[in-house]
Amino acid sequence: MQAAVFVPAHAPVTEDIRELAAFNQDHTKALLHQILEILAEPKTFEDILAALCGLYGIRLDPAQYVLVGSTVRSFLSYLADEGSILYEFENGKMWWKASQTRSS
C-alpha cells in the first residue's frame, strides 16, 4: 500500500509501515502456531484463553477478557475455516482440537 504517512493504532506515525507490518505478520503466524500446539488435545475456549494468558503473561480484567477473548475467537474461526482445527459440541460445551490433516 502506498501512502504519504501511516497512522497505526498502537505505534507512532510513520512514513514506512513495512517493518511494523512484517512484525505483525510474524507475531500472528507465531500465535496461530501456538494455538495449534495448545490444541494437540481438545480444549474449550476458556482452556485456550487461560493457556495463552499464561504463556504471554496476560492478567485479565473484564475489559481485557472481552478484548483478548474476541481476538482468540477470531483466530479460532480463521483456523477452523482453513481446516487446521475442528470443533464439536459435547455436554453443552464447544471443544476445539487440531485437525489430523493439518500441515506443520
Side-chain angles (χ1 to χ4, degrees):
M1 173 186 294
Q2 297 293 319
V5 68
F6 296 90
V7 185
H10 299 286
V13 173
T14 184
E15 293 177 3
D16 186 353
I17 199 74
R18 289 177 290 194
E19 186 177 335
L20 180 59
F23 172 83
N24 285 331
Q25 289 172 342
D26 291 344
H27 188 70
T28 297
K29 288 175 187 174
L31 189 52
L32 289 167
H33 179 75
Q34 190 65 57
I35 291 171
L36 290 171
E37 292 296 316
I38 290 168
L39 292 176
E41 298 293 327
K43 303 272 190 301
T44 66
F45 165 76
E46 294 288 338
D47 297 330
I48 299 163
L49 181 62
L52 290 170
C53 286
L55 287 169
Y56 289 95
I58 298 170
R59 295 189 59 152
L60 295 175
D61 60 30
Q64 283 293 314
Y65 178 84
V66 171
L67 180 62
V68 175
S70 176
T71 302
V72 171
R73 284 183 178 93
S74 295
F75 277 88
L76 293 172
S77 177
Y78 169 81
L79 289 168
D81 286 349
E82 74 164 11
S84 294
I85 63 174
L86 305 169
Y87 60 86
E88 62 182 36
F89 290 92
E90 183 179 313
N91 298 324
K93 292 183 181 181
M94 188 175 197
W95 292 84
W96 298 89
K97 65 179 180 177
S99 170
Q100 298 300 322
T101 59
R102 73 180 177 99
S103 57
S104 299

